[in-house]
């Protein structure tokens, strides 16, 4: 996996591979850090201004890195040991977290989700137990955790309490990708069943219930969708990739 | 990538190979009393199937196979099947072997792609093994070997999580990526498009453990369901009837991995339609493979476990043609596009002296097999 990690003071190119985690200056010129790992599989990486840079391992550890504004003095500042299975995804709060809600969520192969508050130190706020299904993708917005599972379900949880607020029988196959448009709360889901769906998340101000409604379905004929991303922060356009597909398909509102 | 993929890849491809060989041998067989000395009979067919299956499920070979390891290149794997296909009195020309391998790989690619759940890849494997056991049902000795492998599969894979199976599935899909050879039986059944891509149905039963899409449920902070809404799509899914069995014996329910060939449905492949991928294939042939040494080691280990019977005495082996006529086979050999050539690794042609000595030693060991009755005539069991 490769990711641009945009931090307040610098941009790093982070590559995860069989050798472990490697970090480069944004022009790829110098390798500034290398954390070797024994078993190498898919390693999710996440970075943002508030939570810094974190990476998940296949043994379930979440490594949090301390990145100085310049130079190569990068160290592992924390090792979070709450998961027992390979980390599948890490996501940070994309909107405004209500009081008490966490700002980072980590998901694993078994389907367990952990919600953290970041800051000086990472603190575990709540742990959402697995229900027997792998969680491959997760997003956090305005205190709502959106999780996509291998059995095709999307579930919404309250980040502050870990309570289940919505359950959607969204897809007929494994959900590979979730993306969220922070300005509107639109959620994009892509799965192996060839479908991409757009949903709208919201909070009912009277009941304080989390709501989710279906906006649009797109069938990418004969394609198992592997990646799906909004192309703008309002969610008016999105791009899709699939297995055996050498093109990226872009969709926009007419 | 998963280091547990090879046994599943090998056994399923092997299963497809046996389906195809069985169909072609039946299509070309002549009733015993009418056959000339160089024509196939039913007895020959059974013998070939027995020989290949015995070689495939050889204990030492299986031990090597089940060791955690990376998947090697298509070239390396193809070399193993070349050897396997020649484990008996049957001989295949290059063109027929190429066609056989094309059919095997496209069939298994289709099965992996359409697996409802990642775990169902195991059911596909069991379907192949169930069929293999039927091929040799009159030979208890070989049946035992196959059951042993069956048990080892159950032991190795039953406890894996869905995530681990999905990783295995992804490893396989990457191995098969960009292969779009058109198979006429797939085109006729409309499971493959004319551009070589497989048709992914958006109807039928959902995987076991998945709900039919459409329902949205909202819960309040007490956990009570307070609202239900539905959405519709073009998909037309239904609930599955039951789950397939993962035991040694049982109804697998899933049809993927069962024998789709029969004597009346000859299988052809079309070579065109893959020109878009020429660039990627060309690259693969030019860049020296950094894993070449590891591949040779892998082949040496794996083939070291294969006890290949060379035809003894005056027996020259009987040629099986995967095409309808000899002329067709010749034509196929001449017109096969460059990017689709498998460039089978020829072990004897290795230049490096040290490697050559090592491989010669292993190949030499193949001659010193367990004492077995020498093959003296095609009629002997």
């Amino acid at each position: 996996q490769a990711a641009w990690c945009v931090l307040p003071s610098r941009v790093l190119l982070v590559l995860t591979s069989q050798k472990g985690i490697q970090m480069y200056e944004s022009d790829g010129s110098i390798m500034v850090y290398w954390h070797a790992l024994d078993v190498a599989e898919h390693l999710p990486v996440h970075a943002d201004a508030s939570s810094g840079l974190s990476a998940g391992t296949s043994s379930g550890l979440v490594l949090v890195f301390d990145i100085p504004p310049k130079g190569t003095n990068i160290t592992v500042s924390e090792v979070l040991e709450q998961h027992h299975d390979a980390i599948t995804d890490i996501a940070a709060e994309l909107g405004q977290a209500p009081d008490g809600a966490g700002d980072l969520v980590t998901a694993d192969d078994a389907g367990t989700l952990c919600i953290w508050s970041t800051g000086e130190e990472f603190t575990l706020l709540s742990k959402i137990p697995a229900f027997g299904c792998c969680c491959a993708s997760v997003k956090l917005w305005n205190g709502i955790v959106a999780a996509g599972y291998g059995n095709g379900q999307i579930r919404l949880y309250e980040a502050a309490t870990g309570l289940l607020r919505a359950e959607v029988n969204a897809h007929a196959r494994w959900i590979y990708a979730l993306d969220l448009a922070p300005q509107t709360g639109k959620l994009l889901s892509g799965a192996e069943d060839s479908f991409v769906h757009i949903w709208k998340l919201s909070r009912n101000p009277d009941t304080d219930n989390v709501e989710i409604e279906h906006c649009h379905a797109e069938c990418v004929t004969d394609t198992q969708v592997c990646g799906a991303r909004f192309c703008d922060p309002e969610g008016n356009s999105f791009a899709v990739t699939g297995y055996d597909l050498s093109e990226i398909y872009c969709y926009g509102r007419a | 990538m998963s280091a547990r993929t090879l046994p599943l890849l090998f056994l399923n491809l092997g299963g497809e190979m046996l389906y195809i060989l069985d169909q072609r041998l039946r299509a070309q067989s002549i009733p015993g009393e009418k056959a000339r000395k160089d024509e196939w009979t039913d007895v020959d067919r059974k013998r070939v199937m027995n020989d290949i299956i015995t070689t495939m499920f050889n204990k030492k070979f299986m031990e090597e196979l089940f060791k955690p390891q990376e998947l090697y290149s298509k070239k390396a794997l193809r070399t193993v099947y070349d050897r396997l296909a020649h484990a008996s009195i049957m001989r295949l020309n290059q063109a027929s072997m190429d066609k056989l391998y094309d059919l095997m790989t496209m069939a298994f690619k289709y099965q992996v792609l359409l697996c409802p759940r990642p775990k169902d890849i195991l059911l596909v494997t069991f379907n192949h093994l169930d069929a293999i056991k039927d091929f040799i049902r009159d030979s208890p000795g070989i049946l035992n070997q196959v059951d042993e492998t069956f048990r080892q599969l159950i032991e190795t894979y039953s406890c894996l999580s869905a995530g681990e199976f999905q990783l295995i599935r992804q490893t396989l899909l990457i191995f098969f990526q960009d292969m779009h050879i058109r198979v006429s039986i797939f085109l006729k059944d409309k499971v493959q498009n004319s551009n070589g891509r497989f048709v992914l149905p958006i109807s039928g039963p959902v995987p076991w453990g998945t709900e039919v899409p459409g329902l949205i449920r909202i819960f309040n902070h007490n956990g009570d369901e307070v609202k239900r809404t539905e959405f519709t799509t073009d998909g037309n899914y239904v609930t599955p009837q039951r789950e397939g069995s993962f035991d040694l014996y049982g109804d697998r329910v899933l049809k993927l991995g069962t024998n789709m060939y029969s004597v009346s449905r000859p299988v052809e492949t079309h070579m065109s339609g893959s020109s878009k991928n020429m660039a990627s294939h060309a690259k693969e042939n030019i860049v020296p493979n950094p894993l070449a040494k590891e591949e040779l080691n892998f082949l040496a280990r794996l083939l070291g476990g294969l006890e290949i019977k060379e035809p003894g005495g005056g027996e020259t082996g009987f040629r099986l043609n995967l095409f309808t006529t000899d002329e067709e086979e010749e034509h196929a050999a001449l017109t096969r596009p460059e990017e689709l050539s498998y460039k089978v690794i020829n072990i004897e042609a290795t230049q490096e002296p040290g490697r050559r000595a090592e491989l010669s030693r292993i190949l030499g060991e193949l001659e010193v097999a367990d004492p077995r009755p020498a093959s003296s005539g095609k009629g002997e069991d």
Side-chain angles (χ1 to χ4, degrees):
Chain A
Q1 209 199 51
W4 289 112
C5 293
V6 180
L7 298 163
S9 51
R10 69 203 291 193
V11 175
L12 288 178
L13 173 64
V14 180
L15 302 177
T16 62
S17 70
Q18 296 198 306
K19 298 187 195 151
I21 301 167
Q22 293 172 319
M23 301 183 195
Y24 295 81
E25 294 290 5
S26 57
D27 59 1
S29 57
I30 311 165
M31 182 167 79
V32 295
Y33 182 80
W34 179 9
H35 185 104
L37 293 165
D38 283 333
V39 184
E41 279 161 17
H42 173 72
L43 299 166
V45 164
H46 175 83
D48 67 78
S50 51
S51 68
L53 199 156
S54 48
T57 70
S58 56
S59 55
L61 300 175
V62 178
L63 305 171
V64 182
F65 295 91
D66 187 27
I67 317 274
K70 273 197 300 220
T72 60
N73 189 17
I74 295 173
T75 54
V76 177
S77 60
E78 281 187 82
V79 177
L80 309 174
E81 291 183 38
Q82 287 292 335
H83 290 277
H84 304 295
D85 299 273
I87 305 294
T88 50
D89 203 6
I90 304 173
E93 171 63 71
L94 293 170
Q96 298 279 33
D99 288 335
D103 48 358
L104 194 81
V105 59
T106 52
D108 72 28
D109 225 17
T112 306
L113 302 169
C114 289
I115 299 162
W116 311 84
S117 85
T118 64
E120 277 300 309
E121 266 183 16
F122 277 57
T123 318
L124 178 72
L125 291 184
S126 52
K127 200 169 188 178
I128 298 169
F131 63 91
C133 220
C134 171
C135 174
S137 199
V138 76
K139 283 280 172 287
L140 179 57
W141 180 74
N142 290 357
I144 305 169
V145 175
Y149 292 87
N151 69 346
Q153 257 189 6
I154 293 175
R155 290 189 169 197
L156 303 181
Y157 300 90
E158 195 83 63
T161 57
L163 281 178
L164 176 68
R165 298 310 296 266
E167 196 179 285
V168 184
N169 296 338
H171 289 275
R173 293 277 192 284
W174 192 282
I175 296 177
Y176 263 119
L178 282 186
D179 197 21
L180 198 134
Q183 283 180 20
T184 51
K186 287 227 185 102
L187 182 72
L188 184 70
S189 65
E192 268 175 17
D193 62 354
S194 309
F195 279 94
V196 175
H197 289 294
I198 301 183
W199 317 84
K200 182 102 170 13
L201 304 190
S202 58
R203 222 183 248 282
N204 187 314
D206 304 320
T207 59
D208 202 35
N209 281 340
V210 171
E211 308 249 326
I212 175 169
E213 64 175 278
H214 183 253
C215 302
H216 182 76
E218 194 66 45
C219 180
V220 190
T221 313
D222 296 337
T223 303
Q224 293 197 344
V225 174
C226 295
R229 277 271 181 279
F230 280 123
C231 300
D232 65 280
E234 285 173 349
N236 290 325
S237 57
F238 61 92
V240 165
T241 58
Y243 173 69
D244 250 357
L245 212 55
S246 45
E247 294 119 346
I248 299 174
Y249 291 148
C250 293
Y251 297 81
R253 283 177 86 125
Chain B
M1 293 296 105
S2 175
R4 283 185 268 235
T5 315
L6 187 60
L8 298 180
L9 179 64
F10 177 79
L11 289 170
N12 282 293
L13 284 180
E16 286 302 315
M17 180 175 88
L18 289 166
Y19 288 161
I20 298 163
L21 291 177
D22 182 67
Q23 190 262 331
R24 291 306 293 166
L25 287 168
R26 279 177 198 273
Q28 294 187 347
S29 86
I30 314 285
E33 60 284 3
K34 291 195 194 145
R36 300 193 311 259
K37 195 162 175 280
D38 59 344
E39 283 178 330
W40 290 106
T41 64
D42 249 15
V43 175
D44 292 326
R45 173 177 56 81
K46 288 204 176 120
R47 178 182 165 183
V48 170
M49 297 298 282
N50 272 13
D51 286 348
I52 296 179
I53 295 170
T54 309
T55 311
M56 235 174 105
F57 288 88
N58 168 278
K59 190 174 160 107
K60 193 155 164 263
F61 182 72
M62 278 296 144
E63 257 168 37
E64 276 304 324
L65 200 70
F66 272 83
K67 286 184 183 156
Q69 59 196 304
E70 296 293 317
L71 285 190
Y72 287 101
S73 68
K74 291 192 190 71
K75 265 192 287 191
L77 199 63
R78 159 70 195 268
T79 309
V80 179
Y81 286 107
D82 256 19
R83 282 303 192 105
L84 204 54
H86 289 93
S88 182
I89 53 172
M90 183 184 71
R91 291 288 165 269
L92 290 165
N93 282 346
Q94 175 86 335
S96 278
M97 191 64 220
D98 283 344
K99 178 174 170 178
L100 177 63
Y101 198 67
D102 287 344
L103 292 172
M104 282 158 60
T105 41
M106 286 310 284
F108 187 44
K109 177 176 180 174
Y110 172 69
Q111 290 153 15
V112 174
L113 201 57
L114 260 75
C115 255
R117 291 177 302 180
K119 188 177 184 183
D120 289 340
I121 211 130
L122 207 50
L123 289 178
V124 173
T125 316
F126 290 167
N127 271 334
H128 280 116
L129 286 186
D130 287 341
I132 290 173
K133 279 163 72 171
D134 192 57
F135 284 135
I136 42 134
R137 62 182 177 277
D138 299 326
S139 316
I142 320 169
L143 208 49
N144 243 358
Q145 281 175 258
V146 180
D147 272 340
E148 248 326 293
T149 303
F150 220 122
R151 274 183 218 108
Q152 197 169 5
L153 277 174
I154 294 174
E155 197 187 294
T156 311
Y157 293 97
S158 288
C159 50
L160 293 190
S161 67
E164 282 164 313
F165 270 114
Q166 183 66 311
L167 192 64
I168 289 174
R169 185 170 169 275
Q170 284 166 352
T171 310
L172 288 169
L173 287 176
I174 288 172
F175 186 80
F176 292 126
Q177 197 162 30
D178 295 329
M179 285 189 70
H180 300 298
I181 297 164
R182 287 140 58 209
V183 177
S184 71
I185 204 176
F186 286 143
L187 295 170
K188 273 196 205 102
D189 288 349
K190 304 244 185 293
V191 302
Q192 191 179 27
N193 294 318
S194 53
N195 63 1
R197 314 274 166 158
F198 288 118
V199 173
L200 299 184
I202 55 171
S203 60
V206 288
W208 191 262
T210 294
E211 300 287 338
V212 172
L215 186 63
I216 302 174
R217 300 165 73 200
I218 307 285
F219 303 92
N220 65 14
H221 52 263
N222 287 330
D224 305 317
E225 185 187 306
V226 291
K227 191 158 100 164
R228 277 193 173 209
T229 47
E230 300 217 1
F231 68 94
T232 53
T233 63
D234 291 336
N236 186 11
Y237 296 102
V238 295
T239 326
Q241 297 261 338
R242 58 192 191 285
E243 192 183 11
S245 159
F246 288 89
D247 296 325
L248 199 56
Y249 301 97
D251 179 8
R252 312 297 173 196
V253 180
L254 195 64
K255 291 286 160 262
L256 294 171
T258 55
N259 196 344
M260 61 179 164
Y261 306 103
S262 68
V263 188
S264 55
R265 305 185 83 191
V267 203
E268 295 132 39
T269 54
H270 301 266
M271 287 300 109
S272 58
S274 51
S275 50
K276 262 195 206 140
N277 300 306
M278 257 177 83
S280 57
H281 275 274
K283 258 189 219 138
E284 195 189 346
N285 290 336
I286 291 166
V287 173
N289 184 0
L291 286 179
K293 200 167 172 195
E294 273 68 33
E295 266 182 19
L296 286 175
N297 279 334
F298 155 76
L299 282 175
R301 277 192 345 260
L302 227 49
L303 295 178
L306 280 182
E307 291 173 4
I308 308 287
K309 198 192 314 194
E310 301 293 325
E315 208 173 28
T316 49
F318 296 87
R319 202 166 62 75
L320 180 71
N321 187 347
L322 250 76
F323 297 84
T324 331
T325 62
D326 286 349
E327 288 73 32
E328 245 189 74
E329 190 186 44
E330 260 176 57
H331 179 75
L334 292 169
T335 57
R336 189 175 179 87
E338 179 56 32
E339 73 270 17
L340 291 176
S341 98
Y342 286 108
K343 290 194 169 51
V344 173
I345 294 173
N346 187 348
I347 292 181
E348 284 79 16
T350 319
Q351 295 303 316
E352 199 193 343
R355 178 63 44 213
R356 203 186 209 164
E358 169 78 11
L359 285 172
S360 299
R361 184 185 63 74
I362 292 174
L363 287 170
E365 277 174 11
L366 287 178
E367 313 301 331
V368 188
D370 287 337
R372 39 166 88 212
S375 52
S376 54
K378 68 176 170 63
E380 187 156 272
D381 198 55

